[in-house]
Amino acid sequence: MATVEVPYQETVPLHHPKTWIGKYIFSQDHKIIAVQYGITAMAVGLVALILSEFMRLQIAFPEAGFMAFFTADHYYQAITMHGMIMVIYLLTAFLLGAFGNFCVPLMCGARDMVFPFVNMLSYWVYLLSVIILMISYFVPGGPTGAGWTLYPPQTITQGTPGVDWGIATMLISLAVFIVAFTMGGLNYITTILQARTRGLTLMRMPLTVWGIFIATFLGLIAFPALFVSAVMMLLDKFLKTSFFMPAIVSLGSKLEYSGGQPLLFQHLFWFFGHPEVYIVALPAFGVISDLISVHARKNIFGYRMMVWAIVAIGALSLIVWAHHMYVAGMHPSFGFFFATTTLIIAVPTALKVYNWILTLWRANIRITVPMLFALAFVLTFIVGGITGLFLGNVIIDIPLSDTYFVVAHFHMVMGVSPILAIFGGIYHWYPKLTGRMLNDTIGRIHFYFTFIGTYAIYFPMHYLGFIGVPRRYYETGISEFYPVAAHNLNKFITIAALIVGVSQILFIFNLVHSYFKGKKAPANPWGANSLEWCTPETPPRHGNWEDRLPTVHRWAYDFGVPGEEKDHIPQTVPRRKAS
Amino acid sequence: MRIAYIAVILFLVTLGSVVFNFTTPFHFDAIGSNWELIDITVYITFIVCGVAFVALGLLMAWWVYKFQYQEGKFAEYEPENAKLESQLTIITTIGVVVMLAPGLVAWNDYINPPSDAYELEVYSKQWNWMYRFPGADGIFGAAHNKYVDLDNPFGMKPGDPYGEDDILITDKTVKIPVDRPVKVLLRSQDVLHDFWVPAIRAKMDAVPGMVTYFWFEPIVERVYEVLCAELCGRNHFNMRGEMHVVSMNEYSTWLNDQVTWAGMQAGAVPLSPEAALGRDIANDAGCFACHSTDGTQRDTGPTWLDIWDGTVELDDGTTRVRDEAYIVKSILDPHAEIVLGYTTTMTTSELTDEELQSILDYMKGLKSAPAKQETTDENESENAEPSSEVDSTTIPGEDPSTN
C-alpha cells in the first residue's frame, strides 16, 4: 500500500470570516464565490436573452409597428452583445466560474481553492468586466455593432455602429475578463493538482473535474490570444497603428493606415475562439457524464476512454481554429489541413456520445429533472455535432458559411447544449448548495418548454441555410433566396423563441421560491458517490469538512456493484479486501 | 411500469426531424454552376450523419424506455469494454473518411482554376459591388486603394499601360458568358465583404490589402442576385448586386458598351468649383456609400440623379414634392420621411450651413444627360457625372473573352 500523504490543506489553519460582509460579500469561500459568479452570469444572460428576443421579432416581423424603433444599428448592436455575452460572460463564467468554483474543491475533497483571496479577486474583476460591458449601452453611440467576431477593419471604421466608444468598452471589458479568468483558472488548476485529498488519484476524479481541468488549461492557452488582439485593436483604433489595418478608403475618406493584415486578427481571434468552444463544452461534457451515471444508477461506460477523449479533444482543439476561416481568403492549402484535423476531432467526440448512450444500456434509470436535461443534452449535442461535420469539411463550408445553417449549428452545439448542461447541473447540485430541493413539477414543465422549444427553434433553422438565407441581415425582403415560406418559418421560430424565453421565468421563480420554501434536502438526495455528497453538513460550511479531510478509496462511479447491499458506494467507503 | 414521457419525446423528436428533412422545401436550389461535387459531398454527409443521428436517437429513446428505475434493481456492472470501444472507433473513423475524402477532392478543384478561365475582378466597397475586366490585352492594370479618389473609383495606378484598356463597371450589374469558367478576383476598398450567389455555391471573402479568388463555370442562362455574405457595417443587408449569365453574343455586345479606364479619364468633364466642393463634402460625409449619382438604383438609398425633379412616394403612402425643403429635411433628419421601398440606415450628419449649401448646389446639377450626348456641350458643367462618362465613351470592339 502506498504511503498516505497528509493533504496540504489539512495542515494549514482556516480563518473563518467574522463579519456578514466578509461572509457573503467579500467572501473567500469558494461556494459563495460560485453563487456570486452564477447570479451575475445569469443576470447578464437575461440581458442577452432579451436582446435575442428583439432580434427574433425583427427577423419575423420587420414591418410591425412595435418594431419601428429597432433600427439596423440596434440590430447589429444586439447580435454583437448577445453573442459576446453568451459565449464569454454567461457560458464561460458559469461553467468555470460557478461550476468550477463549486465543484472543484468539493469534489477534490479540499477545504477551498488553494488561493482563496485570488479567487475572490477573480469574481470582483469579472463583475467589473460585466459592468464595463454594460456601460456600452450608456456611452455615446451605444455598444459596438461589429458582430461578436469583431473582424477588422469594419470594427473600427465608420459605417459600423458604436465605432467611437462602444468598441473601446467592449475591448477593455474583454481584457478585464481575461484577467479575472486567469486568476480563477490558475486556482482551479493548482487546486486540482495540489489539493486533492488523500486517495484521490487523477484517474479517480469525477469527469466533471476532468472537464473543468482541461477546459481551464485551454482557457489559459487561448485567452492570451484574445487579449493581445484586443490590445492591438485598441492601439489601431486610438493610436492609429496598423496591426490589422491595410490602406483603405472608408466611406469616401482615406485613412492613415497601411500595411496591416485583417487576417492576422482572424487567426488570433480563432486561436482563442475555437478552444473557447471546448472551454464551454468540456465542463458540460463532464457534468453530463456525472448526471447520466448518477441518475441512471450505473457506472459511466468507458471511464478511461472518457478521460482520454477529453484530453484528446482538448489537444486537438488547439489545431483546428482556421476552420472558421475557410472563406476568409487565407492560403487555400490550409483547407486540407484544417478540414482533416477538424474531422479527426469528431472521433473522440463521437466516442463520448456513444459512451453516454451505452451508459443507459441495462441501467436503472431514474427520470429525475437533472436526468431529463442530461438526455436532452445528448440529443441536442448529436445534432450540433453532426452539423459540425458538414461545416468542418471545407468544401461544404463554402456554400453554407455565413448562412443560417451556421447560426443553427453553433446555437445547437455551443448555445443550447451547454445551457441544458448548466440547467441539469443546477437542478442536480442546488440541494447541496442550499439545503433545499427545487420544485420537481415546475422543473419538469421548465424542462419540456426549454428542450422542445429550443429544438423547434434551431432544428428547422439549419434548412434556411441551404436555400441561402444569409445571417446578420437586418432585413431580408422577399426575394429568390428568401421565399414567403422561409419567412413563415422564421415567424414560427420567433414564436418558439418567445415561448422559450418566457418559460425561463419558471426557472427563476423555482430558484427563488425553493430557496425559502423548498423541501429540505437530505445530504445525498440522488444517491451519488462523489465527495461533495459526503460533506458532514448540508449545505457545507466554510471549510467544507471537519478537522480531517475525507479519504478516497475508489472512483466515483461504483453504481450497481454486484454483491453489494446498496446500489451505490460513495468514494469514501473503503474497498473490501479482495477475497 | 410508468410511461417515461421523455422516451416518447426523444422518439418523436428523432422521427420528427427525419420527417421534416424529407418534407421541407428548404434544400439546395437548382445548381447554376459546375460545383456538383459540392452537392454530392453534402449528399454523402447527409446520409452518413442521418444514419448516425437516427440510430443514436432511437437507441437512446428505446433504452430510456426499457431500463427505467425499479426499486431494488441493480444496473449491469460493466466499467468498460475495450472491444466494443475499438469497434466503434473504427466505424466512426470509416464514416469520417467517407465524408472527408470527396470533400478534399472537391477542395482541390476549388482552389485550382482551369487554365482557360478568364478573369473578372470584383471590387467591393461599402456598400456596393463594382467590376473590372482586363480589356483587350487580357491583363489587369495595377490598382491599389491608395490611388482611389472620386475620379478614380477603382484605384487604378496612374500611367500603368496595362490599365488603360481595363473595362470598369460601376453599375451593380455584371454580365458573364454561360459555359465559360471564370476566375473571380476579389479586392476590397474598405472592409471585409463576400461575393456570393447561392445557386453558384461558391463564395470567398474580399479582404482589403490582398487579392483573393474563387472560380466557377455558370451553366444556366439567367439573372442571379448577388449578396454580401460577410458583415460589412450597418448596410450589409442592402449590399446587393446582379449577375446575369448570358449568351456569348449578348455578353460581347454588353461589354463593348462599357467604359474603359482610358475612356473614363478622357470623358471626365470638369465640375464647376462650387459643385466640385459640394461633391467633395458629400464624399467626405460618406454619402456615396449609399447614394449613386449616375442613376444606378441601389437598395441602400435613392440615386441623386434627377433628385431635384418631380415627386416621390413615401413609405407612409403619401406623395411628396422633391423641393429644397424636402431634401434639406431628408439630410438633417433622415428618419422623418422615408422613400417607399427603402430602409434607412442613414445617420445624421454634422454639416455647417455652408457645407449643406454646397451639397445642395451639387445635387441640383445632377440631371440626366439629354438624349443626344455628343451634340450638347453646353455650360452645364455640373452635369458631368459617371453616367455621362459612360454614355459618351465608346470602346474599341475587341472582345477580351475570345482568348
Side-chain angles (χ1 to χ4, degrees):
Chain A
M1 181 143 180
T3 52
V4 177
E5 290 177 40
V6 179
Y8 161 75
Q9 289 195 339
E10 212 170 82
T11 62
V12 287
L14 193 68
H15 301 285
H16 292 291
K18 294 185 177 60
T19 61
W20 188 86
I21 288 179
K23 209 169 169 185
Y24 295 108
I25 307 295
F26 293 103
S27 172
Q28 300 185 21
D29 183 342
H30 70 101
K31 300 180 291 296
I32 302 291
I33 295 172
V35 173
Q36 290 172 327
Y37 256 112
I39 290 175
T40 312
M42 274 197 268
V44 73
L46 272 181
V47 175
L49 177 70
I50 291 165
L51 289 174
S52 73
E53 303 293 359
F54 278 120
M55 283 144 55
R56 282 311 316 178
L57 285 169
Q58 168 63 33
I59 292 165
F61 309 104
E63 310 290 329
F66 59 86
M67 288 310 290
F69 77 97
F70 201 69
T71 63
D73 280 16
H74 289 139
Y75 181 78
Y76 288 118
Q77 289 166 331
I79 62 166
T80 308
M81 293 293 275
H82 170 82
M84 201 61 100
I85 290 173
M86 291 303 292
V87 171
I88 308 273
Y89 301 89
L90 171 59
L91 291 176
T92 308
F94 206 104
L95 284 161
L96 292 177
F99 282 171
N101 259 307
F102 183 74
C103 295
V104 166
L106 277 171
M107 287 183 155
C108 289
R111 292 209 186 284
D112 207 314
M113 288 289 180
V114 167
F115 312 113
F117 181 78
V118 177
N119 202 28
M120 175 187 82
L121 219 51
S122 163
Y123 168 71
W124 289 99
V125 175
Y126 162 66
L127 182 65
L128 178 67
S129 77
V130 171
I131 291 168
I132 296 172
L133 186 75
M134 289 299 120
I135 286 174
S136 296
Y137 266 105
F138 303 95
V139 296
T144 175
W148 89 276
T149 47
L150 302 177
Y151 279 3
Q154 186 238 146
T155 310
I156 57 173
T157 57
Q158 300 296 326
T160 299
V163 70
D164 296 314
W165 287 77
I167 184 59
T169 50
M170 171 63 82
L171 294 171
I172 292 167
S173 169
L174 285 173
V176 172
F177 177 89
I178 293 164
V179 173
F181 176 84
T182 307
M183 291 193 285
L186 290 172
N187 245 323
Y188 311 150
I189 288 191
T190 318
T191 305
I192 291 169
L193 289 178
Q194 295 295 319
R196 276 174 290 123
T197 189
R198 55 176 89 68
L200 186 62
T201 60
L202 284 175
M203 291 310 273
R204 280 177 177 174
M205 283 201 307
L207 287 165
T208 299
V209 182
W210 265 109
I212 291 167
F213 184 45
I214 301 298
T216 309
F217 258 113
L218 290 180
L220 291 176
I221 295 169
F223 270 114
L226 180 65
F227 188 85
V228 293
S229 39
V231 171
M232 285 180 179
M233 196 184 279
L234 282 168
L235 293 173
D236 273 8
K237 164 73 187 156
F238 291 103
L239 296 182
K240 305 292 177 204
T241 55
S242 292
F243 294 108
F244 307 132
M245 299 294 281
I248 61 175
V249 183
S250 169
L251 300 177
S253 309
K254 265 186 200 166
L255 304 187
E256 302 162 50
Y257 302 107
S258 83
Q261 177 47 282
L263 287 188
L264 173 61
F265 177 86
Q266 297 187 27
H267 280 294
L268 286 170
F269 183 86
W270 290 116
F271 187 87
F272 145 76
H274 194 79
E276 169 63 26
V277 174
Y278 292 95
I279 292 168
V280 170
L282 293 183
F285 289 173
V287 168
I288 292 301
S289 304
D290 283 352
L291 295 195
I292 287 184
S293 173
V294 169
H295 296 276
R297 317 303 302 149
K298 184 169 180 245
N299 63 77
I300 190 78
F301 182 78
Y303 170 82
R304 287 190 302 173
M305 179 74 101
M306 294 298 257
V307 170
W308 289 115
I310 288 178
V311 176
I313 292 169
L316 283 168
S317 79
L318 292 168
I319 52 164
V320 299
W321 75 89
H323 67 211
H324 298 268
M325 298 167 59
Y326 288 147
V327 298
M330 61 179 179
H331 194 288
S333 297
F334 276 160
F336 296 110
F337 175 79
F338 285 104
T340 307
T341 53
T342 301
L343 265 67
I344 288 174
I345 221 174
V347 177
T349 312
L351 284 171
K352 294 198 75 80
V353 173
Y354 301 151
N355 285 3
W356 290 323
I357 294 177
L358 285 168
T359 302
L360 301 175
W361 185 71
R362 292 199 180 166
N364 195 21
I365 302 168
R366 273 200 195 131
I367 301 174
T368 56
V369 177
M371 187 61 170
L372 290 174
F373 278 101
L375 294 170
F377 169 93
V378 175
L379 193 72
T380 310
F381 186 77
I382 291 171
V383 176
I386 61 181
T387 50
L389 290 169
F390 284 75
L391 295 171
N393 203 349
V394 54
I395 197 67
I396 304 180
D397 184 64
I398 296 296
L400 292 180
S401 64
D402 294 301
T403 69
Y404 269 90
F405 189 91
V406 176
V407 178
H409 158 71
F410 70 68
H411 275 94
M412 274 286 194
V413 79
M414 142 148 231
V416 178
S417 297
I419 283 176
L420 290 173
I422 287 176
F423 281 140
I426 291 176
Y427 282 100
H428 184 74
W429 281 302
Y430 188 90
K432 179 55 65 178
L433 178 73
T434 63
R436 290 183 189 265
M437 305 295 288
L438 281 167
N439 183 295
D440 193 65
T441 310
I442 300 178
R444 281 171 201 273
I445 298 170
H446 170 234
F447 165 76
Y448 280 109
F449 272 113
T450 305
F451 170 49
I452 299 175
T454 49
Y455 202 88
I457 295 168
Y458 294 112
F459 185 80
M461 191 188 280
H462 290 93
Y463 291 84
L464 291 175
F466 282 113
I467 58 166
V469 182
R471 67 190 281 213
R472 292 172 164 174
Y473 268 35
Y474 166 64
E475 249 183 30
T476 321
I478 300 301
S479 71
E480 190 189 335
F481 65 90
Y482 191 67
V484 176
H487 190 59
N488 289 336
L489 178 57
N490 260 331
K491 286 183 181 166
F492 167 80
I493 290 173
T494 295
I495 290 164
L498 289 169
I499 293 171
V500 171
V502 171
S503 68
Q504 301 314 308
I505 294 172
L506 290 171
F507 174 66
I508 294 167
F509 171 81
N510 201 352
L511 284 187
V512 177
H513 182 260
S514 300
Y515 184 78
F516 298 104
K517 298 271 162 85
K519 215 166 56 181
K520 281 258 186 287
N524 189 0
W526 314 117
N529 295 341
S530 44
L531 287 175
E532 78 272 29
W533 304 104
C534 307
T535 55
E537 271 129 2
T538 299
R541 283 196 307 189
H542 183 226
N544 296 341
W545 319 95
E546 285 161 358
D547 295 341
R548 214 176 128 75
L549 295 178
T551 305
V552 167
H553 299 278
R554 54 182 74 233
W555 70 339
Y557 301 101
D558 265 339
F559 293 101
V561 180
E564 293 288 338
E565 212 171 294
K566 290 167 84 174
D567 73 345
H568 71 285
I569 312 170
Q571 284 186 282
T572 50
V573 175
R575 293 155 81 89
R576 271 190 288 179
K577 292 272 179 286
S579 52
Chain B
M1 191 153 82
R2 265 179 64 205
I3 300 168
Y5 294 110
I6 183 65
V8 179
I9 297 286
L10 290 173
F11 176 74
L12 290 178
V13 166
T14 308
L15 206 67
S17 303
V18 176
V19 171
F20 184 88
N21 178 67
F22 284 111
T23 55
T24 178
F26 306 125
H27 281 285
F28 274 151
D29 49 358
I31 194 163
S33 75
N34 58 310
W35 288 119
E36 270 168 20
L37 201 47
I38 293 183
D39 287 18
I40 291 169
T41 313
V42 170
Y43 189 69
I44 294 170
T45 309
F46 250 117
I47 292 172
V48 174
C49 291
V51 168
F53 169 75
V54 173
L56 294 172
L58 293 183
L59 217 52
M60 193 158 66
W62 179 35
W63 287 351
V64 169
Y65 174 79
K66 189 155 181 234
F67 302 116
Q68 283 178 73
Y69 188 73
Q70 285 167 291
E71 194 66 50
K73 196 183 105 178
F74 271 33
E76 174 123 329
Y77 190 77
E78 190 188 25
E80 50 197 335
N81 181 334
K83 196 175 158 202
L84 178 62
E85 287 174 78
S86 57
Q87 281 168 346
L88 287 171
T89 309
I90 291 166
I91 291 170
T92 311
T93 308
I94 292 170
V96 163
V97 170
V98 167
M99 292 182 285
L100 184 61
L104 294 184
V105 170
W107 179 247
N108 192 45
D109 285 354
Y110 191 79
I111 62 178
N112 291 305
S115 52
D116 62 337
Y118 68 96
E119 291 185 333
L120 158 68
E121 181 189 89
V122 175
Y123 190 39
S124 48
K125 64 189 272 278
Q126 286 173 326
W127 285 281
N128 60 70
W129 305 102
M130 301 189 291
Y131 311 94
R132 180 163 71 129
F133 289 93
D137 62 3
I139 298 171
F140 282 114
H144 194 280
N145 286 344
K146 67 186 173 192
Y147 303 122
V148 169
D149 62 38
L150 278 168
D151 297 315
N152 186 0
F154 285 76
M156 303 293 290
K157 185 180 180 185
D160 183 347
Y162 293 115
E164 296 297 317
D165 65 346
D166 285 7
I167 295 165
L168 309 181
I169 295 147
T170 53
D171 190 85
K172 68 174 180 181
T173 301
V174 65
K175 298 193 182 187
I176 57 170
V178 71
D179 293 333
R180 286 286 314 270
V182 52
K183 181 180 180 185
V184 182
L185 301 168
L186 299 145
R187 282 200 301 136
S188 169
Q189 192 178 106
D190 37 39
V191 303
L192 304 179
H193 300 283
D194 193 310
F195 184 84
W196 185 36
V197 176
I200 298 296
R201 304 288 189 266
K203 67 157 88 78
M204 191 57 70
D205 281 7
V207 184
M210 58 192 280
V211 180
T212 57
Y213 73 92
F214 67 94
W215 78 275
F216 65 95
E217 184 179 321
I219 55 170
V220 187
E221 283 184 42
R222 52 168 285 199
V223 175
Y224 294 105
E225 189 164 20
V226 176
L227 305 173
C228 182
E230 191 66 61
L231 180 58
C232 60
R234 57 169 60 92
N235 252 323
H236 168 55
F237 63 103
N238 273 329
M239 188 166 163
R240 311 282 175 94
E242 271 179 32
M243 185 175 81
H244 298 206
V245 177
V246 297
S247 67
M248 190 52 121
N249 273 346
E250 189 182 341
Y251 164 71
S252 306
T253 315
W254 171 80
L255 199 65
N256 281 340
D257 288 340
Q258 307 303 314
V259 68
T260 62
W261 171 224
M264 189 181 272
Q265 294 172 92
V269 182
L271 293 173
S272 73
E274 297 80 37
L277 180 64
R279 185 167 79 140
D280 284 345
I281 292 167
N283 184 48
D284 287 347
C287 304
F288 302 137
C290 298
H291 301 281
S292 76
T293 54
D294 60 359
T296 303
Q297 295 300 336
R298 298 206 184 99
D299 292 340
T300 43
T303 180
W304 282 5
L305 190 69
D306 297 326
I307 199 163
W308 218 275
D309 291 327
T311 58
V312 65
E313 210 177 325
L314 302 180
D315 67 354
D316 59 4
T318 58
T319 305
R320 183 78 160 85
V321 179
R322 291 196 293 200
D323 53 12
E324 180 156 335
Y326 161 76
I327 304 232
V328 169
K329 189 174 183 191
S330 295
I331 294 173
L332 298 181
D333 186 7
H335 293 262
E337 296 177 323
I338 298 165
V339 179
L340 183 67
Y342 291 94
T343 303
T344 185
T345 56
M346 189 165 150
T347 49
T348 43
S349 320
E350 287 168 16
L351 296 168
T352 64
D353 289 351
E354 293 78 35
E355 286 170 340
L356 181 62
Q357 194 55 49
S358 290
I359 294 179
L360 294 176
D361 288 346
Y362 169 65
M363 291 171 88
K364 258 180 232 176
L366 290 169
K367 299 247 164 60
S368 299
K372 294 253 176 186
Q373 172 75 25
E374 282 82 4
T375 57
T376 56
D377 211 0
E378 291 167 26
N379 287 340
E380 283 192 36
S381 50
E382 297 127 332
N383 199 359
E385 273 313 296
S387 67
S388 50
E389 293 163 20
V390 172
D391 292 341
S392 64
T393 316
T394 51
I395 52 166
E398 290 93 340
D399 182 0
S401 62
T402 52
N403 293 327

